[in-house]
Amino acid sequence: MEELSQYEKLLESLLTQVTTIGLGILKALIIFAIGKIIINIINRLVYKVLTRRRVDLSAKSFIRSTVNVSLLILLIIAMIGALGIQTTSFAALVASIGVSIGMALSGNLSNFAGGIIILVFKPFKVGDYITAQGISGTVKEIQIFHTILHTSDNIRQYIPNGSLSSGIVSNYNVDKRRVQWIVGIDYGEDFERVKKILEEVLSKEPRILPDPSPFIALHALDNSSVNIMVRAWTNSSDYWGVYFDINKAIYETFNKENIEFPFPQLTVHQKTATLS
């Protein structure tokens, strides 16, 4: 009878612990579900407030990302409390390993600081087309740790803000850009004639700006070709269209005018040995 009583007490204790843990998990799940709803509501409110105040798109995405991460951290702490873990003990545990966590997150902290630097000094903003870290694309979002670029072939690239704030960034968000071509012709071609033909090709393109005027000069005497440099200015939105269309126009015009395109050549001199 005494053994049966001990088993009953053990079973009762086990059921009590399971019930407590189950209730804790249930509370944590309820807090998670309600917390996600509240976070979504707060995120929408933040978005509306930022939109109403006409905050810059770059700052808007950064602030929204920061608010969202902060709310998620608070939600995790609330769930830990619901599971019966003392948040003060949890905070003490986090503080005790703070040095190691800080070392592990040093990169993210530099990315966070880099995001602030980008927002303050504005080397670029959302919507700009930039080149950084060997990647070119349009800035879609500036988040708390990363900046998101969409490349021309629709690939989403995530670049750390720390690298962007300390590295070289080329921003192409300007009114006009200079387009450059290097055109090779055969040795023996009349440069002045070719220059005049190139001027006519450029004059027929309405997207090329008259000021600054196009520039044409003899660039280099290469191994197999005489290279001519052609430069012209156009609106940034027309850059690639002008570049490719002028390439095609030069090719068609040179064929029509019988101007030869060069190709690599090698001249071999054969020396005949004389028999004595």
Side-chain angles (χ1 to χ4, degrees):
M1 294 295 293
E2 292 181 359
E3 292 181 0
L4 183 60
S5 177
Q6 290 179 356
Y7 285 131
E8 289 176 350
K9 290 180 180 180
L10 180 62
L11 181 60
E12 183 179 353
S13 175
L14 182 61
L15 289 174
T16 301
Q17 292 180 7
V18 170
T19 303
T20 303
I21 294 173
L23 289 175
I25 294 175
L26 181 61
K27 289 179 182 179
L29 292 175
I30 293 173
I31 290 174
F32 175 77
I34 297 175
K36 286 293 293 181
I37 295 173
I38 294 174
I39 288 174
N40 290 334
I41 293 173
I42 294 175
N43 283 334
R44 285 196 293 268
L45 289 174
V46 170
Y47 177 78
K48 290 180 180 179
V49 170
L50 295 176
T51 303
R52 191 179 302 115
R53 292 180 177 271
R54 298 182 180 179
V55 177
D56 182 73
L57 286 176
S58 304
K60 184 189 297 183
S61 60
F62 184 84
I63 293 172
R64 289 181 64 196
S65 177
T66 304
V67 170
N68 187 57
V69 170
S70 301
L71 292 174
L72 287 175
I73 292 174
L74 292 176
L75 177 59
I76 292 172
I77 294 174
M79 291 174 64
I80 291 172
L83 289 172
I85 302 174
Q86 295 295 326
T87 54
T88 54
S89 302
F90 178 74
L93 178 63
V94 172
S96 66
I97 58 175
V99 175
S100 58
I101 292 178
M103 293 177 63
L105 297 178
S106 59
N108 284 331
L109 292 176
S110 66
N111 291 333
F112 177 77
I116 295 176
I117 291 173
I118 291 171
L119 292 177
V120 172
F121 294 99
K122 296 183 179 180
F124 57 84
K125 61 182 184 298
V126 172
D128 288 355
Y129 187 87
I130 66 172
T131 295
Q133 304 297 311
I135 301 172
S136 298
T138 302
V139 179
K140 291 300 181 182
E141 288 186 54
I142 301 176
Q143 295 188 345
I144 183 171
F145 297 127
H146 297 83
T147 292
I148 302 177
L149 300 185
H150 280 192
T151 63
S152 55
D153 51 351
N154 202 31
I155 295 176
R156 179 176 294 213
Q157 299 279 2
Y158 292 79
I159 304 180
N161 288 334
S163 301
L164 288 174
S165 63
S166 60
I168 297 175
V169 178
S170 299
N171 191 332
Y172 299 100
N173 188 42
V174 290
D175 294 334
K176 56 186 178 181
R177 291 180 60 188
R178 188 186 70 189
V179 194
Q180 177 173 298
W181 302 265
I182 301 295
V183 182
I185 59 175
D186 272 343
Y187 277 92
E189 292 285 354
D190 186 349
F191 168 72
E192 293 299 330
R193 173 173 173 263
V194 174
K195 180 180 179 181
K196 184 177 180 181
I197 290 173
L198 289 172
E199 289 174 346
E200 292 176 355
V201 170
L202 296 178
S203 66
K204 293 178 182 178
E205 174 53 66
R207 292 170 294 181
I208 289 180
L209 303 176
D211 185 27
S213 59
F215 173 81
I216 301 174
L218 201 156
H219 175 62
L221 303 177
D222 212 341
N223 292 333
S224 302
S225 64
V226 176
N227 294 335
I228 300 175
M229 176 185 292
V230 181
R231 292 176 173 175
W233 289 84
T234 185
N235 293 323
S236 295
S237 57
D238 296 327
Y239 180 88
W240 288 112
V242 169
Y243 179 80
F244 291 123
D245 288 347
I246 291 296
N247 271 339
K248 179 181 178 183
I250 290 175
Y251 179 75
E252 293 175 346
T253 304
F254 276 24
N255 285 332
K256 182 179 179 181
E257 298 293 335
N258 295 320
I259 298 174
E260 296 293 335
F261 288 98
F263 54 89
Q265 301 181 47
L266 178 64
T267 302
V268 178
H269 298 277
Q270 182 176 0
K271 186 177 182 180
T272 304
T274 58
L275 298 176
S276 58

